[in-house]
Amino acid sequence: MGTKKKKKRMLLTQRCFHGVVGPSRLYGIRCMSTKSYGNLKDQDRIFQNIYGEHDSSIKGAMKLGDWYRTKDIILKGPEWAIDQMKQSGLRGRGGAGFPTGLKWSFMPKDKTKDPRPSFLVINADESEPGTCKDREIMRNEPHKLIEGALIAGLAMRARAAYIYIRGEFYLEAVRVEQAIDEAYKAGFLGKDACGTGLRFDVYVHRGAGAYICGEESALIESIEGKPGKPRLKPPFPAQHGLYGCPTTVNNVESIAVAPTILRRGPQWFSSFGRPRNTGTKLFCVSGHVNNPCTFEEEMSMPLRELIERHCGGVRGGWDNLLAIIPGGSSVPMIPKNVCEEVLMDFDDLVRVKSGLGTAAVIVMDKSTDVIKAIHRLSHFYMHESCGQCTPCREGTGWIYDILGRMTQGKADLKEIDMLQEITKQIEGHTICALGDAAAWPVQGLIRHFRPVMEERIREYKGEEKKKEETAH
C-alpha cells in the first residue's frame, strides 16, 4: 500500500473513532464510535409550537412551559445564569457560532465603576437568503423570545432589550408586539419584572430591509437613526454600543433557547451533539427537496440523514443531487460526495471548507446551473454592499460582471484564477463579514466545479470558431 493511501486510511480511522465520519464503512474500515446523532425526541424539543399548531398567546405559551418559575431563575443571579450558559456549550445561532455564555460575560459587572445603562439588542433581521427560522419563532412562539430577552438581559445587568425586526416581517412584528403587551399586563415586564423588584423593558424596532443591518454594529447604527453601516472595532459593542452604552447583540434563536436551558440544566442541553457543537438547532431546508421545511434537530446529525428523514429526500432521489449550500447563501457549497458523509455542525463543516452559518440548507439537484446560481447570489451581495469598504464596494461588482460572462462562457480560462484572486482580495479586508459572504460562494464554485466552468468557456469558444469558419 502506498504512503498516501496509508495516511488516508489512518485519517479516516481517526475520524471514525471521534464520530466524525457518518457512514459505518469507508474504504473497508468499520467506524468504532457507537454514538449516533439525530432523531430528536419530542420531549427534548425546545420549540413545541414552531408550526403554529397551538395558541401563541401568553395562555398558550404558559401551557407549553413558558414563563414557568422565571422569577426563581432571575433571582439566582447573573453569575449563575452566565455560568450555566457557558456550561451548556451554546454557540450563537446567528451564523458566527461564538459561545453565548462567554459573550454575555463581556458586559460590565460593577455599575459603581461604570454607571452607564446596559442594553440587550436582539437581531431579528434574518436577511440571509435561504434562512427562515427566526420568523417562525416570532410568528408562533414569541413568548419564548420575550422571556429569553428578560432572562438574558438581567443576566447581563441590562435595563432594556431592543428587538430589531426587518421591515418585511409585518406579521412577525405584530405577534411580537402583542406578546410584549401581554407580558406587561401579566407583570412579567416593567418596573417589577416577574416580581423580582428589577425593572426591564422590551422595545420593538422595525428595520427597512437592508442585509447589512444584520451585522451587529450596523444594526446598532440603524436603531440610532443613522444609515446602516458597520463600525470599526474596537471598541466593541460590549464597551461602546447602543447610544454609547455597553450592549450585547444576540440572534433570536440564541435568546429564545436560554430559558429552557436554564430550566432543564446545561448538562441536558450539552448531551446533544458532539463536543463544541452541543445542543439542538433549528434547521431550514429549501430548494430541490420533496418537502422543504423548518424543524428542530440535534446538532451533528449527518446531512444526508437530515434531508431524507425530514424533507423526504432530494427531488429525483439522492443520485440526482448536485450540491448543497449548508448554512445560508454566504457559505461555500459542497458537492454530493462531501454531502454523503459530513455532519451538520460547526466543526465538521469547517473541515470540508464550508460552514454551518444559520443552518439554512439550500439543496440543488442536477438541473441546476451552478454558475448561474452563484451569479445570482453575487448580484445580491453587490446590491447589499454598503459601499464603505473599497474591496467590497468594487470587488462585488467585478465578481458579478465576470460571473455574468461565465454563465455563457464569454471568458478566458485565466479569468477563473483572476476571479479567485479577486475573492481573496475581498476576504478578510473589510470592516464587516459581508465581503467574506460575497467571496466564499464563488470560492466554493471554483473549488468544486472548476471543470464545469472550463467546459463552458471551451464550448463557447468552439461555437464562436465554428461561426467564424461558416462566415468565411
Side-chain angles (χ1 to χ4, degrees):
M1 187 184 292
T3 308
K4 287 186 178 179
K5 287 187 177 179
K6 281 183 180 178
K7 285 183 178 179
K8 195 169 188 178
R9 285 176 67 91
M10 287 175 65
L11 179 61
L12 285 167
T13 307
Q14 290 170 3
R15 287 181 187 163
C16 289
F17 273 106
H18 289 89
V20 176
V21 174
S24 61
R25 225 177 246 282
L26 283 171
Y27 297 91
I29 301 170
R30 181 175 293 277
C31 293
M32 303 303 293
S33 174
T34 57
K35 175 72 172 175
S36 61
Y37 304 97
N39 197 19
L40 189 69
K41 296 177 181 177
D42 285 344
Q43 62 263 31
D44 289 321
R45 298 189 193 284
I46 294 174
F47 299 101
Q48 299 286 332
N49 191 32
I50 199 68
Y51 303 118
E53 296 170 340
H54 306 289
D55 181 15
S56 63
S57 71
I58 195 165
K59 289 182 179 179
M62 292 179 77
K63 286 180 182 177
L64 293 175
D66 296 342
W67 297 110
Y68 176 70
R69 301 186 69 175
T70 308
K71 177 182 177 180
D72 295 340
I73 294 173
I74 295 169
L75 292 179
K76 287 186 178 182
E79 290 81 7
W80 175 85
I82 290 173
D83 183 63
Q84 294 284 293
M85 294 302 292
K86 285 181 178 178
Q87 288 183 43
S88 73
L90 174 67
R91 293 172 67 173
R93 298 313 198 210
F98 192 83
T100 303
L102 181 62
K103 193 172 189 178
W104 292 8
S105 70
F106 294 154
M107 294 287 275
K109 298 172 180 61
D110 190 349
K111 286 298 177 184
T112 59
K113 293 181 179 178
D114 188 353
R116 294 175 299 166
S118 297
F119 298 110
L120 167 65
V121 173
I122 298 172
N123 186 348
D125 193 62
E126 196 171 52
S127 299
E128 181 79 358
T131 311
C132 49
K133 63 182 182 66
D134 293 342
R135 69 189 70 181
E136 302 297 344
I137 298 172
M138 291 185 282
R139 280 176 190 162
N140 302 317
E141 305 211 41
H143 280 280
K144 271 193 171 51
L145 177 61
I146 306 307
E147 184 189 13
L150 172 65
I151 291 172
L154 292 179
M156 290 180 267
R157 300 168 177 84
R159 65 179 293 177
Y162 289 82
I163 304 175
Y164 185 94
I165 303 178
R166 63 182 300 190
E168 292 87 345
F169 285 178
Y170 176 77
L171 175 61
E172 290 78 1
V174 169
R175 290 277 177 88
V176 170
E177 286 173 344
Q178 287 174 347
I180 292 171
D181 290 342
E182 289 176 335
Y184 271 107
K185 288 176 183 176
F188 296 155
L189 297 175
K191 294 180 180 178
D192 184 21
C194 288
T196 59
L198 300 170
R199 183 185 183 100
F200 193 80
D201 296 299
V202 178
Y203 306 99
V204 170
H205 187 96
R206 302 289 300 279
Y211 175 76
I212 194 66
C213 289
E215 196 277 334
E216 61 178 11
S217 61
L219 188 154
I220 289 170
E221 289 281 293
S222 180
I223 293 177
E224 292 180 352
K226 304 169 189 171
K229 293 187 176 182
R231 297 175 179 175
L232 282 168
K233 299 172 187 176
F236 294 94
Q239 289 82 42
H240 189 91
L242 184 63
Y243 306 124
C245 299
T247 305
T248 290
V249 182
N250 268 137
N251 173 258
V252 166
E253 188 183 350
S254 306
I255 294 298
V257 300
T260 307
I261 293 172
L262 296 176
R263 280 194 193 95
R264 301 188 70 168
Q267 291 75 25
W268 165 79
F269 188 77
S270 62
S271 68
F272 303 107
R274 299 190 303 150
R276 284 178 36 86
N277 302 275
T278 56
T280 66
K281 176 84 183 74
L282 285 177
F283 295 90
C284 34
V285 184
S286 61
H288 299 148
V289 292
N290 292 313
N291 180 32
C293 57
T294 299
F295 53 90
E296 185 178 1
E297 233 334 328
E298 180 180 9
M299 287 280 282
S300 305
M301 186 177 186
L303 175 56
R304 179 173 181 174
E305 185 183 345
L306 181 136
I307 290 171
E308 292 181 343
R309 181 187 295 275
H310 294 281
C311 308
V314 178
R315 184 180 70 179
W318 183 259
D319 289 337
N320 193 38
L321 177 66
L322 180 66
I324 291 176
I325 300 174
S329 66
S330 61
V331 304
M333 67 171 74
I334 49 178
K336 175 177 173 284
N337 65 306
V338 177
C339 298
E340 287 174 344
E341 54 91 14
V342 74
L343 303 181
M344 285 300 288
D345 64 29
F346 295 103
D347 294 345
D348 207 39
L349 283 165
V350 167
R351 176 181 66 82
V352 297
K353 296 184 179 179
S354 189
L356 182 66
T358 56
V361 181
I362 304 170
V363 179
M364 296 179 281
D365 68 14
K366 289 179 179 176
S367 69
T368 308
D369 184 330
V370 284
I371 304 175
K372 281 186 178 179
I374 301 304
H375 176 239
R376 179 64 187 86
L377 291 180
S378 70
H379 179 271
F380 172 81
Y381 290 111
M382 178 186 71
H383 179 267
E384 294 296 334
S385 172
C386 75
Q388 193 171 194
C389 307
T390 303
C392 181
R393 182 182 67 244
E394 303 298 328
T396 51
W398 295 350
I399 289 173
Y400 176 71
D401 291 340
I402 295 171
L403 278 176
R405 288 188 288 105
M406 284 186 175
T407 57
Q408 301 175 56
K410 292 182 181 179
D412 292 322
L413 291 174
K414 63 182 181 181
E415 287 186 272
I416 299 175
D417 290 327
M418 186 187 299
L419 188 62
Q420 176 75 5
E421 179 62 22
I422 291 170
T423 65
K424 289 295 183 182
Q425 291 296 331
I426 298 171
E427 181 186 7
H429 296 93
T430 54
I431 293 173
C432 79
L434 191 144
D436 297 348
W440 289 340
V442 181
Q443 291 174 8
L445 173 68
I446 296 171
R447 184 181 303 124
H448 298 297
F449 293 96
R450 186 181 184 116
V452 176
M453 302 170 77
E454 292 176 347
E455 183 183 0
R456 190 162 304 180
I457 292 169
R458 290 193 184 101
E459 283 178 359
Y460 179 81
K461 286 187 174 181
E463 289 173 3
E464 289 296 303
K465 191 174 182 180
K466 285 180 182 178
K467 287 179 183 178
E468 288 177 9
E469 289 172 354
T470 306
H472 289 303

